[in-house]
Amino acid sequence: MILNLETEFTFAVEQATDVLLQFEVARLASQRVETSETRINPAPTLTRVMAEAGIGERIWLPASGQVSVSYCASVGVERSAPPLVELASLAPHELPAEAVGYLLDSRYCPAEQFQALVETEFGTFSGGARIEAIRSWIASNFAYTPGSSGTETTAVDSFVARRGVCRDYTHVLICLARASAIPARYVSCYAPGVDPPDFHAVAEVFLADPSNSASGTWYLVDATDMADPGETAIIGVGRDAADVSFLTSFGHSNFGTLSVRVTKE
Amino acid sequence: MILNLETEFTFAVEQATDVLLQFEVARLASQRVETSETRINPAPTLTRVMAEAGIGERIWLPASGQVSVSYCASVGVERSAPPLVELASLAPHELPAEAVGYLLDSRYCPAEQFQALVETEFGTFSGGARIEAIRSWIASNFAYTPGSSGTETTAVDSFVARRGVCRDYTHVLICLARASAIPARYVSCYAPGVDPPDFHAVAEVFLADPSNSASGTWYLVDATDMADPGETAIIGVGRDAADVSFLTSFGHSNFGTLSVRVTKE
Amino acid sequence: MILNLETEFTFAVEQATDVLLQFEVARLASQRVETSETRINPAPTLTRVMAEAGIGERIWLPASGQVSVSYCASVGVERSAPPLVELASLAPHELPAEAVGYLLDSRYCPAEQFQALVETEFGTFSGGARIEAIRSWIASNFAYTPGSSGTETTAVDSFVARRGVCRDYTHVLICLARASAIPARYVSCYAPGVDPPDFHAVAEVFLADPSNSASGTWYLVDATDMADPGETAIIGVGRDAADVSFLTSFGHSNFGTLSVRVTKE
Amino acid sequence: MILNLETEFTFAVEQATDVLLQFEVARLASQRVETSETRINPAPTLTRVMAEAGIGERIWLPASGQVSVSYCASVGVERSAPPLVELASLAPHELPAEAVGYLLDSRYCPAEQFQALVETEFGTFSGGARIEAIRSWIASNFAYTPGSSGTETTAVDSFVARRGVCRDYTHVLICLARASAIPARYVSCYAPGVDPPDFHAVAEVFLADPSNSASGTWYLVDATDMADPGETAIIGVGRDAADVSFLTSFGHSNFGTLSVRVTKE
């Protein structure tokens, strides 16, 4: 399946500073970037470094004054998505070293305090069936409400408010997964069904392979039900939204406008 | 310099569960583990995995009921520590990929919101001189007060309270460094001058090499003034305390007793 | 029913300061203080002022160094407690002026963010039946766990953690009542069934009189199920625990020991 | 001095509900409401109740669907404002009962944790001179930044961020006053110099009368420097912004537009 992406955004910094951007689709076996063009104005010298977990790139941009960014790409996505309920979890001690960090508390996902709750509410399920129960519960009980959350909103706030946007849905799902001893991480991405159109966020959980219960891999899960794994173009991954913001500034910046357009071919 | 360590702690879990431990000294060029013995009772089958940034190991322990852990080691530490004030910082775009994540917000270190403050309070300093100014300010303005903070206390809380323990001092230093666009991470360690004796925590900041300003490395900084870098035995590193807790349980656990003894030979 | 109370506690202040105490049983129509003796050592000149809502007294104590406080009283409690489920709520605009403030957010009870949740979870109940449903849900889903919360713990934290002590149970109940547009306040008190023995806390909610649905009064509710309204000796009321702490110090104080003993005659 | 006020705002509620409004100027000896007109559309039956501390009124409005509110008034303000630095504070035990509650922690003003900080930073000042030092420090170190804070932002957040709007400046001042054992409360008001025009917020602190140090009264303080006490028309007072919101809804509401215009005659 081919996704065509067009993104534009603008911002201004008060003082010359290096700004960190992450908005380009990662090059992965499951998603082939056919064409891609990034334009930044004024045209700077960009520095690219590998992003978290080696997925995608971060761009350092020496910014001063007004900056506008545009990005178009055409991406062929081929990603199989077995039903979550058929997947087992690994015992914690079977996890690969690089998955263990995704069990721990992070900026927006203070997961540990949810341990008793997850046992009470979802204790009858395990593995992928528990993730599916959590996803389904969030999807049914939360109201997708643009503007109802901000950069300080944590999963605890969202859990109580029962509203938020994709970022918040994903943070709650990550917390409940980690509190269940299942590694979970945050995925920034593009997807065609997002309404209103915007960057999207979903979770990835680490579960056992269907064919080999001693090894595992990451599976996409969208608590908003807006993005099918087979139609999701991953930008990057991290502990939570703090790791994959499309714009991180070290100094005060004023955000301008953003448009995101994703279509299926 | 040789450090001799003895640690003992006990805990109990309500239900059989995998518990994550991290208390052994990491094997590094700057610290040679001469002898080391870990005893866990009841004696389980342990699984060891590489910890964050490849420094030290995490131990998975299948726990049930009462558990006691003891660890002794003899460690030769050889670590040069140039004066911070002589070290420059790298521009963000010069940082290696693996240092960039340590600029971002984490569980206990929501650094971004300190950006204006750090500019106002420490804006006349840069690089290592800024870190030294921050360290010195914390050391002078905070009261070391065991029992005044808990597992939920963030760097924002500590910054306001002006009291805490090594964990809290370190979280504040990390926030102020990251808000200054200097990567900073949390180091759990042993050190002889810690009073009352306990596991210790210090920060590491990423600054330029004295001889080559285009490359950098991590330098230890202790805002409590209790641990000299040359007398510090590193256990592990992470974004903050959430990544290197000596005991992380997935299920309710009751902590028993802890003793830590560190002497210089 | 007669309750006999004995309380003793000690503390020390670093510097001479006025300390605010509130531990004596309030004189109310529903509870007659038969005998009462307060001893403070060293013996200071106390200043008593009326406490929140005119219920009970606060004591200002000029403290310096070590202080010990002892209090004994014999209290005759006569308090009828109609079943909550039989009580209606008043419409907000029917509430007396002095009840309106108890609908609003306070230090530990940020109630507004629970509005959607309370509608989803308890929307089929109204008035006293909703309070009873909330009380029963908390009693069934929370684990009474001394030591699991601290002075910074809010109702949001407790709601997620599903554990705490009487203070935390009460804060959650208050939030869910206020979010339901039912005034709710915090009551510090003594009660014989509290285990382990300690000061106790319950909520009061403002509901319609059984006989006259246009006027209302405050009804005691204990989410821990440890205190029967007819066996509860009220000390004071407030927005939440911040208003009725038994000890509030303006300057650093070190708490010593506390014993509370409550028996029925 | 005569202030002419015009306010208009609109909002919509999802379901019929009682909404609490507080936007009219209070009738006080220091401010004489000459003319006043409140129009609400659709025209409902309003219920007015006395607001906190008996200052001003709260309005209950049975709302359903779209609501628009307009208010005009002409107010003669006569308020003397002695220089803060000339005013002493009362010892805590000299405070009237109704001032004591304003020493305690509230929703947005968790003052207790600032006690050590206020001693370190402002310990050389006492009474009104301390309040003036605090006010001046906030005015110099904070950037007035509309949009930088939200309904969840506390004084701790604002203290660290060093930016905010009048609400946030006032919360920080209140915390630092209470931590100094000086009662402080939140005042919603109108003032002509507010830029951009909006409802305004300032603090009131309880200090000794210049002529009689054993009794005291409330004095207005504006950390934003935008409102002179002699040109401030008080709407209401409370522990913090939670008590005097111009619009509190018990159910989800969508805010529309707001305009505020204040001119001097």
Side-chain angles (χ1 to χ4, degrees), chain A residues 15 18 20 47 49-52 58 60-62 91-98 100-113 115 119 151-152 178-181 239-240 242-244 247-252, chain B residues 15 18 20 47 49-52 58 60-62 91-98 100-113 115 119 152 178-182 239-240 242-244 247-252:
Chain A
Q15 295 186 294
D18 279 1
L20 189 61
T47 307
V49 293
M50 202 173 64
E52 294 293 313
R58 288 168 166 150
W60 284 108
L61 166 70
H93 71 267
E94 295 174 317
L95 295 171
E98 63 274 16
V100 175
Y102 296 105
L103 287 173
L104 304 175
D105 283 9
S106 61
R107 171 68 177 97
Y108 298 114
C109 299
E112 192 172 4
Q113 56 198 288
Q115 286 180 2
E119 203 49 49
T151 56
E152 302 301 313
R178 290 182 190 166
S180 306
R239 295 279 197 94
D240 57 33
D243 283 1
V244 285
L247 169 61
T248 306
S249 170
F250 293 86
H252 199 59
Chain B
Q15 294 187 292
D18 279 1
L20 189 61
T47 307
V49 293
M50 202 175 61
E52 293 293 312
R58 286 168 167 149
W60 284 108
L61 167 71
H93 70 267
E94 296 173 317
L95 294 170
E98 63 274 18
V100 175
Y102 296 105
L103 287 173
L104 303 176
D105 283 8
S106 61
R107 172 68 177 96
Y108 298 114
C109 299
E112 191 172 6
Q113 56 198 289
Q115 287 181 0
E119 203 48 50
E152 301 302 311
R178 289 182 190 166
S180 306
I182 296 172
R239 296 282 196 92
D240 57 33
D243 283 1
V244 285
L247 170 60
T248 305
S249 169
F250 294 86
H252 199 58

Side-chain angles (χ1 to χ4, degrees), chain C residues 9-25:
Chain C
F9 57 93
T10 62
F11 62 94
V13 294
E14 291 179 355
Q15 295 187 291
T17 183
D18 279 1
V19 165
L20 189 61
L21 302 175
Q22 190 171 7
F23 58 85
E24 297 171 341
V25 172

Side-chain angles (χ1 to χ4, degrees), chain C residues 21-142:
Chain C
L21 302 175
Q22 190 171 7
F23 58 85
E24 297 171 341
V25 172
R27 290 166 195 275
L28 300 170
S30 55
Q31 50 185 39
R32 207 175 55 253
V33 180
E34 307 280 6
T35 65
S36 156
E37 182 173 23
T38 296
R39 291 190 191 188
I40 299 184
N41 187 12
T45 304
L46 303 179
T47 307
R48 288 163 188 277
V49 293
M50 201 175 63
E52 294 292 314
I55 294 175
E57 289 181 329
R58 286 167 168 151
I59 301 174
W60 284 109
L61 166 71
S64 114
Q66 291 282 338
V67 179
S68 71
V69 176
S70 77
Y71 170 68
C72 329
S74 179
V75 183
V77 179
E78 275 182 64
R79 184 177 287 121
S80 70
L84 282 172
V85 294
E86 296 176 5
L87 302 172
S89 54
L90 281 77
H93 71 267
E94 295 174 316
L95 294 171
E98 63 274 17
V100 176
Y102 295 105
L103 288 173
L104 304 176
D105 283 7
S106 61
R107 171 68 175 99
Y108 298 115
C109 300
E112 191 173 3
Q113 56 199 289
F114 286 87
Q115 286 180 1
L117 182 150
V118 86
E119 203 49 49
T120 307
E121 301 290 338
F122 302 100
T124 56
F125 301 97
S126 67
R130 180 176 293 196
I131 298 297
E132 174 54 26
I134 290 168
R135 188 206 60 74
S136 164
W137 177 82
I138 296 172
S140 307
N141 284 276
F142 282 57

Side-chain angles (χ1 to χ4, degrees), chain D residues 230-260:
Chain D
E231 300 183 349
T232 297
I234 295 173
I235 299 168
V237 305
R239 297 280 196 92
D240 57 32
D243 283 1
V244 285
S245 178
F246 72 96
L247 169 61
T248 305
S249 169
F250 292 86
H252 199 58
S253 63
N254 291 300
F255 193 71
T257 58
L258 166 68
S259 77
V260 174

Side-chain angles (χ1 to χ4, degrees), chain B residues 1-5 75 191-193 228 230-231 261-265:
Chain B
M1 223 266 315
I2 303 290
L3 293 181
N4 291 309
L5 320 172
V75 183
D228 187 79
E231 299 183 350
R261 189 150 170 266
V262 184
T263 51
K264 289 190 265 188
E265 201 161 282

